[in-house]
């Protein structure tokens, strides 16, 4: 129960202020626990982020997969892959996934998260193969690069509206996968 409350508090802190806001004193304050109690559950901020990713990433990936399954054609699956990921940017669970890029995680944690991310990329490989790509895995990695750039642009609060960023990313990806 306490662990769940700490994870929920961590999601809120990340959503409100990014990785800088995720501190043990802040977690303790949000949950009503003593700071020393927080250390009983997590040894570091990186451990909190790692657990959030372990809990939230599969849910996020399942949402992307469901959106792709609902699409009829390979091209529509690719579009759903991009749109669903970008729609999740505002989701508090996404903040934990973005927090990985802060570089605070140890090599083992980063590898686990890279493997999970590779599973996400793997979802679009078949659709790209069906569209005739000679190297669908490479195309999927490059496609994810466009998604990641759009995520960063949105997260930065760029001058463009998030919808415009999404539309530009979708257009770029669909024009690329057709070619």
């Amino acid at each position: 129960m306490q662990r769940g409350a700490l994870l929920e508090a961590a999601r809120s802190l990340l959503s409100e202020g990014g990785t800088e806001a995720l501190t043990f004193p802040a977690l303790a304050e949000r949950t009503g626990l003593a700071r020393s109690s927080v250390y009983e559950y997590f040894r570091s901020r990186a451990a909190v982020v790692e657990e959030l990713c372990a809990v939230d990433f599969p849910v996020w990936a399942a949402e992307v997969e469901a959106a792709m399954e609902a699409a009829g054609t390979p091209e529509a699956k690719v579009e759903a892959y991009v749109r669903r990921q970008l729609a999740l940017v505002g989701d508090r669970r996404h903040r934990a996934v973005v927090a990985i890029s802060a570089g605070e995680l140890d090599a083992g944690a980063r590898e686990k998260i890279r493997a999970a991310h590779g599973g996400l990329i793997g979802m679009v490989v078949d659709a790209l193969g069906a569209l005739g790509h000679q190297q669908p895995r490479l195309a999927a990695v490059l496609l994810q690069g466009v998604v990641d750039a759009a995520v960063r642009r949105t997260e930065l609060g760029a001058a463009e509206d998030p919808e415009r960023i999404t539309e530009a990313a979708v257009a770029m990806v669909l024009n690329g996968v057709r070619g």
Side-chain angles (χ1 to χ4, degrees):
M1 179 133 159
Q2 302 283 21
R3 189 177 209 82
L6 286 165
L7 291 175
E8 189 56 33
R11 283 182 196 97
S12 294
L13 290 165
L14 286 166
S15 181
E16 294 164 13
T19 54
E20 298 80 29
L22 181 61
T23 65
F24 278 31
L27 283 170
E29 183 180 327
R30 290 279 173 111
T31 57
L33 294 172
R35 184 177 173 184
S36 59
S37 296
V38 176
Y39 283 99
E40 291 177 25
Y41 293 94
F42 300 103
R43 68 187 186 286
S44 65
R45 286 180 354 147
V48 175
V49 172
E50 182 180 351
E51 184 149 341
L52 278 173
C53 290
V55 170
D56 292 346
F57 193 88
V59 175
W60 189 33
E63 290 182 29
V64 173
E65 187 172 34
M68 290 180 69
E69 286 175 5
T73 65
E75 189 173 287
K77 288 180 184 308
V78 170
E79 181 174 352
Y81 176 86
V82 174
R83 285 191 185 281
R84 191 66 200 135
Q85 284 189 71
L86 294 177
L88 289 167
V89 171
D91 189 310
R92 292 176 342 142
R93 293 169 298 165
H94 182 263
R95 288 284 187 178
V97 176
V98 170
I100 328 166
S101 63
E104 295 181 21
L105 303 181
D106 62 34
R110 267 194 232 119
E111 188 50 43
K112 284 182 204 169
I113 292 164
R114 257 193 292 277
H117 204 258
L120 184 65
I121 291 169
M123 289 181 199
V124 76
V125 170
D126 287 343
L128 292 168
L131 288 168
H133 280 273
Q134 298 288 320
Q135 297 179 334
R137 178 83 185 160
L138 175 59
V141 170
L142 296 174
L143 184 158
Q144 186 62 42
V146 172
V147 172
D148 292 345
V151 166
R152 282 190 304 278
R153 188 81 182 155
T154 302
E155 286 282 327
L156 288 172
E160 302 89 5
D161 177 65
E163 274 188 44
R164 289 183 65 109
I165 294 170
T166 296
E167 293 308 317
V170 168
M172 180 173 285
V173 164
L174 291 180
N175 287 331
V177 298
R178 288 183 193 122

